[in-house]
Amino acid sequence: MSPGTLITIIVLVVVVILVCALAAWMIMRRRRLQARFGPEYERAVEAKGSRRAAERDLREREERHDALHIKQLPASARDRYAHEWDRVQERFVDQPDGAVREADRLVTSLMRERGYPTEGLEQQLSDLSVEHGRTLEHYRAAHEVNGRSARREATTEELRGAMVHYRALFTELLRDGHRPSEDRV
């Protein structure tokens, strides 16, 4: 075998190895994003029109989230929020639409105290998606019903569903990896 042929074979093997390594890296990165964002990954792909654009967007969300100062709540604050949630749920019996508005306010307040910006729904969803991608559909659904409730277009059953949806995100934000001493939410 001539030295030129040997060099060609070595170069081809190196190129194939590099291509395989790049493909493996891209697959691992995609799987990591899918695992981290859950259903929000596919939603981003659909919204952006391509996986590449969606993955770029999701990485930008991660970078923004990393720059935020998300903090854990002290036990006293978690207890205070749990008690407020109980009060909101009790209010639902007599004033379902008011309770849903109050649940929205309470979730927003909890987000703010944890360190999430609350300046607009789309930005809230983007920031929450990094750690709470699996519960964002709950928040979207609850927020949509809350908007219809303000226009007097939501049924009591839809309002009940909104409370359940708000509770899903509320519970996740409140627990922050901690287990409350009793399950009040």
Side-chain angles (χ1 to χ4, degrees):
M1 184 176 321
S2 74
T5 305
L6 185 58
I7 290 174
T8 302
I9 291 172
I10 290 173
V11 168
L12 287 174
V13 167
V14 168
V15 167
V16 167
I17 289 172
L18 288 175
V19 167
C20 289
L22 179 62
W25 176 77
M26 290 175 70
I27 289 169
M28 287 173 42
R29 184 177 67 176
R30 176 170 292 154
R31 286 184 180 157
R32 184 190 66 77
L33 288 170
Q34 287 172 328
R36 182 162 198 184
F37 286 91
E40 190 65 17
Y41 177 90
E42 290 303 325
R43 185 180 192 81
V45 169
E46 186 176 315
K48 294 294 181 181
S50 77
R51 289 198 183 281
R52 191 175 178 146
E55 289 174 1
R56 183 175 35 255
D57 177 59
L58 295 174
R59 286 191 306 276
E60 288 170 3
R61 291 183 196 187
E62 286 178 320
E63 288 173 12
R64 175 179 160 86
H65 184 272
D66 290 347
L68 298 175
H69 300 290
I70 307 301
K71 60 185 178 190
Q72 297 179 354
L73 295 178
S76 61
R78 286 194 313 271
D79 288 344
R80 178 175 41 86
Y81 276 106
H83 288 297
E84 284 187 57
W85 183 262
D86 288 345
R87 188 182 52 75
V88 170
Q89 281 186 250
E90 290 168 1
R91 183 176 178 202
F92 184 82
V93 174
D94 295 324
Q95 297 177 317
D97 55 340
V100 168
R101 281 192 306 277
E102 186 66 14
D104 182 71
R105 184 207 59 78
L106 189 58
V107 167
T108 302
S109 176
L110 178 56
M111 287 171 52
R112 188 177 304 112
E113 190 165 340
R114 291 275 322 276
Y116 287 99
T118 57
E119 67 265 6
L121 180 63
E122 288 306 313
Q123 191 60 57
Q124 287 176 2
L125 293 169
S126 178
D127 292 337
L128 287 168
S129 70
V130 177
E131 289 186 6
H132 306 284
R134 297 190 189 290
T135 53
L136 278 188
E137 281 308 308
H138 289 288
Y139 190 47
R140 280 187 180 96
H143 199 271
E144 190 270 328
V145 171
N146 188 29
R148 289 199 355 257
S149 173
R151 297 184 305 271
R152 302 270 190 226
E153 298 172 356
T155 67
T156 303
E157 186 58 27
E158 289 171 325
L159 293 170
R160 186 199 63 74
M163 290 296 292
V164 171
H165 290 308
Y166 276 126
R167 184 176 58 214
L169 180 59
F170 178 84
T171 300
E172 201 170 286
L173 286 168
L174 186 66
R175 287 189 178 168
D176 184 40
H178 300 291
R179 286 280 206 239
S181 55
E182 51 184 80
D183 193 12
R184 290 186 222 148
V185 289

